[in-house]
Amino acid sequence: MIETYWDILDNSENISMVGEGIHPIVQKILIHKGITDIEEMNEFLSSKPQRTYDPFLMKNMGEVVDVVIDHIQKGKSIWVYGDYDVDGVASIAVLMDFLKRFTSNLHYYIPLRAEEGYGLNCEAIEDIKKQGADLIITVDCGSTSVKEVQLAKDLGMEIIVTDHHNLSDTVPDCLILNPKQGDCNYPFKLLCGCGIAFKLAQGVQKKLNAPKSYLNDLLDVVALATVADVVPLIDENRTLLKYGLKKMTNCTRPGLKGLIRALELEGKDITTSHIGFILGPHFNASGRIDDARAGVELLLEGDTKKINSLIRHLVACNHERKTIQDKGLELCKAKVEQNYLEDLFLVVDSEGTHEGVIGIIAGKIRDRYYKPTLIVTEGHEEGIMKGSGRSIDGMDIYEELKNCADLFIKFGGHKNACGFSIEKDKLEILRRRLNEQAKVVREESPEVFVKSIKVYAELKPSELTESLLQELERIEPYGMGNEKPQFLLSCLKVDNSPQVVAMGKKQEHLKLKGLSQKWNEKIPVHAVGFGMADLYIQQLHCPEEVDIVGFPRINEWNGYRNMQFMISDVKASNR
């Protein structure tokens, strides 16, 4: 069982309320998020946020815009080179959709995951040159591609890198748009790759005094990438996402609208959950299993017949992805249980699992054991392992891998996720060194390896109302950096027989009903915890009085509505 710590934030009534018209619980949540100024609160809660920045504050933006406009005006061949995940696919679509307003000499290149791997590669650059390219603009990649950038220049092409990943000590010798550059004064450093591409489009639009509608038309794609790439949903990301979600809800992009309809989301207000768990995975699946071009084409296509064909392809790829992923996940879970339970840093060979799903598996293994995790598989080249990693809060996985840089053929990423390639015979050395590093981290900061749940307030059953839910909706969209606030319901006395609390086809889900013994209220609480029956029955041994942490929602089924509390964690009451 993962050790969890409930970080119960100050719930006193003495917190100074700073704004009228904002629910007290909402104000407390914002204060705990560090938002204490009334203007900041109103901006955060606004349905029409204004927080965005002049693109020309980003280092090199002026020079980059001039180069792009010069190539447009001279009719030169421009190529957009991107990654095969959702962020890369969306980044390509944003620049292609925008730049086509100004030039027809426009092309894109997206590598095949299995054969070419992440980022720029020399063979692709040579091929692009043979097709007459004058300028390459990378999106969502290139920050560490020193050799590849030099090759492009040696071949007589100009190249611009736009990216959001961490830079190495040695950077490519070209114009770079990346707010993470040490001397970049751009106020917000956490845009996704598509966000950077959008800022470039914004710079060109400003310089050419083009219609702002050209930018507004891109916001649905920016929203897709911002959620799918799991960047913090704060500051400028929050602004772009709020407008982008409105654009997606009233979608006019033919391909995206068709996919929304096919996935039975039409007529619904599109949320971050719809993107993260339904739409995003379908775009990702094509790049994981087949060719990511299908995702780009769907975002750019206008022909109904072609769109329907592309949608069928993405749905089929996603189904295949799930099947492969589930098989690989079970294999990796078994290996951890048999061999690595005592490891602090999990490094697991998935034995030939398709490399397109190892990142997802890494995330699920990380969540199950709450340890930083690398999943590897043998790549296209014999003896070379491809790997993908996901980290826990408080451990920068990029920096941990950087300390082992001598072992890798190639690696990159950021604090939460990474990708790499390594010779198979060096895998055990990597495992040993990463575990040694993790032990040092645990000695210095043991709390890093304890999953922490921030509890923003304790609620009485009488406070679980539709009115409160409407107020909490103002804090959306939820996601990384703006996680859904968790609430405590304490001393809930429940009917705790296993036959009552377990539900679902496999009896894996938990349902609780009871009265709080802490408050003088006779209001029953209905609570559900997906996948949590084993925790309550086998690990906690069915305590009859519990404290639960979670979030309220309205459950609608068969014309019936009731308030339901979605459980994130449960513990036996110790009063």
Side-chain angles (χ1 to χ4, degrees):
M1 181 170 68
I2 295 174
E3 182 182 0
T4 58
Y5 168 68
W6 293 2
D7 182 11
I8 300 177
L9 305 175
D10 179 15
N11 193 45
S12 72
E13 297 297 327
N14 297 323
I15 295 177
S16 176
M17 294 298 125
V18 297
E20 296 182 3
I22 303 175
H23 192 285
I25 289 177
V26 172
Q27 290 195 41
K28 287 183 181 181
I29 292 169
L30 296 183
I31 289 169
H32 287 315
K33 288 178 178 289
I35 303 168
T36 58
D37 180 80
I38 184 60
E39 290 186 8
E40 289 184 11
M41 283 189 175
N42 286 331
E43 168 69 13
F44 191 89
L45 298 174
S46 173
S47 61
K48 296 181 178 180
Q50 301 299 312
R51 179 159 290 177
T52 186
Y53 305 106
D54 182 348
F56 291 98
L57 293 174
M58 196 175 294
K59 181 183 177 183
N60 297 325
M61 182 63 79
E63 296 92 326
V64 167
V65 167
D66 287 343
V67 170
V68 172
I69 291 175
D70 181 64
H71 280 74
I72 289 171
Q73 293 176 340
K74 293 178 179 177
K76 292 185 175 182
S77 178
I78 300 174
W79 284 70
V80 182
Y81 187 115
D83 188 23
Y84 38 64
D85 67 0
V86 180
D87 194 15
V89 164
S91 300
I92 292 173
V94 157
L95 283 192
M96 293 293 292
D97 200 8
F98 176 75
L99 293 176
K100 73 181 183 183
R101 313 267 190 173
F102 309 99
T103 178
S104 59
N105 201 353
L106 186 63
H107 317 270
Y108 73 88
Y109 187 96
I110 191 162
L112 295 171
R113 181 188 292 263
E115 296 176 15
E116 299 174 81
Y118 167 77
L120 287 167
N121 70 82
C122 292
E123 288 186 9
I125 289 170
E126 290 171 346
D127 182 54
I128 289 170
K129 174 61 179 177
K130 289 176 183 177
Q131 296 189 60
D134 296 301
L135 170 66
I136 297 174
I137 304 172
T138 79
V139 288
D140 192 35
C141 64
S143 286
T144 61
S145 301
V146 176
K147 178 181 68 174
E148 293 82 1
V149 165
Q150 189 57 52
L151 174 62
K153 294 172 66 176
D154 291 344
L155 292 174
M157 294 180 286
E158 291 195 61
I159 184 166
I160 293 166
V161 166
T162 79
D163 196 8
H164 72 123
H165 293 97
N166 291 352
L167 295 100
S168 302
D169 296 332
T170 304
V171 299
D173 181 21
C174 67
L175 289 172
I176 299 174
L177 288 183
N178 187 334
K180 291 181 180 176
Q181 294 179 89
D183 53 349
C184 179
N185 294 322
Y186 196 73
F188 187 59
K189 309 294 184 183
L190 300 174
L191 292 164
C192 66
C194 190
I196 307 292
F198 178 79
K199 299 308 292 189
L200 172 55
Q202 194 177 41
V204 173
Q205 178 268 332
K206 280 179 171 282
K207 191 70 179 280
L208 293 178
N209 196 28
K212 286 189 177 180
S213 61
Y214 290 2
L215 299 175
N216 294 336
D217 289 346
L218 306 173
L219 290 172
D220 52 352
V221 182
V222 177
L224 174 69
T226 299
V227 175
D229 212 54
V230 201
V231 290
L233 303 185
I234 58 175
D235 207 283
E236 190 169 24
N237 281 340
R238 184 171 173 84
T239 301
L240 293 172
L241 179 58
K242 277 198 171 186
Y243 287 105
L245 288 175
K246 291 177 184 176
K247 190 80 175 172
M248 293 182 80
T249 296
N250 302 292
C251 194
T252 57
R253 185 177 299 275
L256 187 55
K257 184 175 183 178
L259 183 62
I260 288 171
R261 183 187 304 115
L263 299 178
E264 300 182 351
L265 298 177
E266 190 173 36
K268 298 181 180 181
D269 290 338
I270 301 299
T271 67
T272 54
S273 293
H274 291 139
I275 295 175
F277 297 107
I278 303 175
L279 292 167
H282 280 81
F283 281 97
N284 242 335
S286 182
R288 293 182 187 282
I289 303 301
D290 186 49
D291 184 343
R293 290 180 65 93
V296 179
E297 292 302 314
L298 183 64
L299 292 172
L300 298 176
E301 186 57 66
D303 181 79
T304 301
K305 188 175 180 180
K306 291 180 180 177
I307 286 171
N308 290 336
S309 176
L310 288 165
I311 289 172
R312 287 193 296 271
H313 176 72
L314 292 187
V315 170
C317 284
N318 195 50
H319 179 75
E320 183 179 357
R321 185 269 305 171
K322 287 180 182 178
T323 302
I324 295 170
Q325 173 190 313
D326 290 346
K327 183 178 178 181
L329 177 60
E330 291 305 312
L331 171 68
C332 291
K333 280 162 52 177
K335 283 200 164 193
V336 172
E337 295 289 336
Q338 293 167 12
N339 304 311
Y340 307 123
L341 269 180
E342 301 304 314
D343 285 12
L344 288 176
F345 203 124
L346 299 175
V347 180
V348 185
D349 183 355
S350 65
E351 296 184 4
T353 298
H354 195 294
E355 68 179 80
V357 303
I358 58 174
I360 303 175
I361 294 173
K364 290 184 178 295
I365 294 291
R366 180 269 319 272
D367 293 342
R368 182 177 179 86
Y369 300 99
Y370 203 68
K371 296 175 180 180
T373 301
L374 304 182
I375 303 296
V376 300
T377 191
E378 190 150 10
H380 190 66
E381 187 178 348
E382 186 176 352
I384 303 299
M385 310 297 286
K386 295 290 187 68
S388 187
R390 299 294 183 268
S391 196
I392 57 177
D393 292 340
M395 180 172 282
D396 187 326
I397 200 167
Y398 176 82
E399 290 299 323
E400 296 301 317
L401 264 63
K402 190 176 179 182
N403 291 332
C404 303
D406 57 298
L407 298 177
F408 298 112
I409 299 169
K410 191 175 183 180
F411 84 98
H414 46 75
K415 70 177 184 177
N416 299 312
C418 65
F420 60 91
S421 56
I422 188 172
E423 294 171 3
K424 189 172 186 176
D425 60 7
K426 293 180 179 177
L427 194 62
E428 188 56 42
I429 301 172
L430 177 65
R431 179 182 290 112
R432 186 181 71 247
R433 284 170 58 174
L434 287 174
N435 271 281
E436 289 171 353
Q437 291 171 197
K439 287 177 184 177
V440 173
V441 172
R442 187 174 66 174
E443 288 171 2
E444 296 176 350
S445 307
E447 72 280 359
V448 168
F449 290 89
V450 178
K451 184 176 182 180
S452 177
I453 300 176
K454 286 185 178 180
V455 181
Y456 282 86
E458 181 173 1
L459 298 179
K460 302 176 184 178
S462 60
E463 292 177 307
L464 298 177
T465 63
E466 290 197 39
S467 175
L468 175 61
L469 287 185
Q470 290 171 359
E471 293 294 332
L472 292 174
E473 285 176 358
R474 301 179 67 190
I475 305 174
E476 296 181 9
Y478 298 125
M480 181 182 173
N482 184 41
E483 288 78 9
K484 183 177 289 187
Q486 299 294 296
F487 300 103
L488 170 66
L489 287 175
S490 59
C491 306
L492 192 68
K493 188 172 183 179
V494 299
D495 180 347
N496 65 349
S497 64
Q499 295 82 3
V500 173
V501 300
M503 66 177 187
K505 290 182 179 179
K506 299 179 181 179
Q507 297 289 286
E508 71 271 35
H509 306 311
L510 175 67
K511 65 173 180 178
L512 300 176
K513 179 183 177 182
L515 298 174
S516 172
Q517 304 302 295
K518 183 172 182 177
W519 310 102
N520 187 25
E521 299 178 344
K522 300 299 181 183
I523 301 173
V525 172
H526 298 262
V528 170
F530 289 120
M532 300 184 74
D534 180 71
L535 168 61
Y536 181 80
I537 298 170
Q538 300 297 330
Q539 299 180 43
L540 298 179
H541 307 295
C542 297
E544 67 177 27
E545 191 171 304
V546 296
D547 298 335
I548 55 178
V549 166
F551 189 86
R553 75 166 188 180
I554 295 293
N555 179 46
E556 298 187 65
W557 183 77
N558 206 22
Y560 177 71
R561 287 166 58 89
N562 74 313
M563 182 64 67
Q564 197 173 71
F565 195 78
M566 303 306 297
I567 305 171
S568 299
D569 199 14
V570 56
K571 295 181 179 180
S573 294
N574 57 5
R575 71 184 182 108

